[in-house]
Amino acid sequence: MTKNLLSSAVFAGLIAGLIAALLQLVFVIPLLLEGELYESGERVHFLVDGMTQSDKGSPGLGTEWARHLMTIGFNVVTYTGYALLLIAAMGFARERNGTQITPQNGLIWGLAGFIAVLLAPAVGLPPELPGTPAAELAPRQVWWIATILFTAAGLALIAFGRSLVMHALGLVLILAPQFYGAPHLDTYFGIAPPELSAEFATISLGFAAIGWSVLGYFCAFFFARGEES
Amino acid sequence: MNTTANITAVRTHGLAFVLAMTVGVALLTVSGMAQATVLHDAAHDQRHAMAFPCH
């Protein structure tokens, strides 16, 4: 079991991390690099006389291959980390409730993971372009982790709870951190065009959803195969 | 005898889940949360792309 948990997570994390990194390099990182032009002041959107206008266009991936290799490497690390948590949860559900794990329902596990880890925290703390001033880091990290735990627990109650009360409690847990509210500054400081920030937020979440779907599928695929043998 | 075997199996698996989760959290701490400058810079783009609270 231990060996199957760990090896399945490594394989699934590697596949999902590489696919996610490739998608990020094509769709997400160019926007991030474009945002850095505003962070460095090379491009200015909000001019002093009240005009707002700037050229659109990413500088492209450029030749910083060491930097992009790091992005690929850390994607594999992140997805392997999430794979370990997801497979531990799958194994626990299988052992405790007899839940069957298949690649098809692995996709649903992955999407639930995406909701808990990316979407729910992003409701309060949207993905940010570099250079976006934000509230102090530590309280944001605490709210972020708490929101993930509350949302995951809420989804688990809805998925495995056997009564309406349990399901309602699940919904309460999911909503609680949102009603509590994420830490925010009381002033807007953004220097990048609003369109670019919005595009970055939606595109990074969209491709993370694909990454998590792939992760869920392959976690279940390798885990189920290992348990059968 | 069977009951003992089952209990042992559950305990062993329980440890496996705890081990997997501990290693998972450790990896995520490195790739997403740790603020050491070298780590932060290397993981920077990936942290933004994966919506970690970065800086």
Side-chain angles (χ1 to χ4, degrees):
Chain A
M1 178 65 130
T2 310
K3 197 173 156 230
N4 185 29
L5 283 181
L6 297 181
S7 62
S8 301
V10 169
F11 287 134
L14 184 67
I15 294 173
L18 288 177
I19 291 175
L22 184 72
L23 291 170
Q24 279 173 19
L25 286 173
V26 175
F27 293 100
V28 184
I29 305 298
L31 293 180
L32 190 148
L33 296 173
E34 191 174 351
E36 282 186 348
L37 297 178
Y38 295 92
E39 185 183 19
S40 67
E42 196 174 317
R43 266 190 212 163
V44 180
H45 183 69
F46 298 99
L47 301 174
V48 276
D49 61 0
M51 295 278 287
T52 57
Q53 192 177 323
S54 56
D55 292 333
K56 184 172 163 56
S58 166
L61 291 179
T63 50
E64 288 181 278
W65 291 110
R67 175 177 178 174
H68 301 320
L69 271 177
M70 288 291 187
T71 300
I72 297 171
F74 274 103
N75 261 294
V76 172
V77 175
T78 296
Y79 274 99
T80 305
Y82 286 141
L84 284 160
L85 300 182
L86 195 59
I87 287 185
M90 284 175 176
F92 186 70
R94 186 176 182 273
E95 190 132 306
R96 199 163 176 275
N97 295 338
T99 309
Q100 237 200 327
I101 303 295
T102 66
Q104 283 77 17
N105 69 29
L107 202 63
I108 298 170
W109 280 87
L111 283 171
F114 164 74
I115 291 170
V117 173
L118 270 295
L119 194 61
V123 171
L125 297 172
E128 283 172 346
L129 277 175
T132 311
E136 220 180 312
L137 181 65
R140 277 187 295 136
Q141 286 184 329
V142 169
W143 185 87
W144 185 80
I145 291 171
T147 302
I148 291 173
L149 294 177
F150 271 71
T151 310
L155 288 172
L157 279 179
I158 294 169
F160 300 108
R162 297 213 171 101
S163 66
L164 191 61
V165 178
M166 297 284 254
H167 298 170
L169 185 62
L171 182 62
V172 170
L173 283 182
I174 290 169
L175 292 176
Q178 308 299 346
F179 276 104
Y180 181 83
H184 280 289
L185 295 174
D186 50 13
T187 313
Y188 294 122
F189 287 109
I191 46 172
E195 298 96 317
L196 182 62
S197 301
E199 202 181 344
F200 179 78
T202 51
I203 220 164
S204 59
L205 284 176
F207 285 102
I210 294 172
W212 267 93
S213 306
V214 173
L215 186 73
Y217 183 94
F218 280 106
C219 279
F221 175 82
F222 288 116
F223 177 69
R225 212 178 60 154
E227 290 300 293
E228 274 164 25
S229 62
Chain B
M1 234 1 230
N2 270 342
T3 318
T4 317
N6 283 344
I7 290 171
T8 315
V10 168
R11 277 191 190 149
T12 319
H13 292 179
L15 272 180
F17 300 144
V18 172
L19 176 70
M21 295 190 99
T22 309
V23 178
V25 168
L27 289 180
L28 291 168
T29 305
V30 170
S31 70
M33 309 295 278
Q35 284 302 305
T37 311
V38 178
L39 263 182
H40 171 272
D41 292 352
H44 176 267
D45 293 2
Q46 180 269 147
R47 286 185 183 186
H48 275 279
M50 288 297 283
F52 284 102
C54 188
H55 22 193

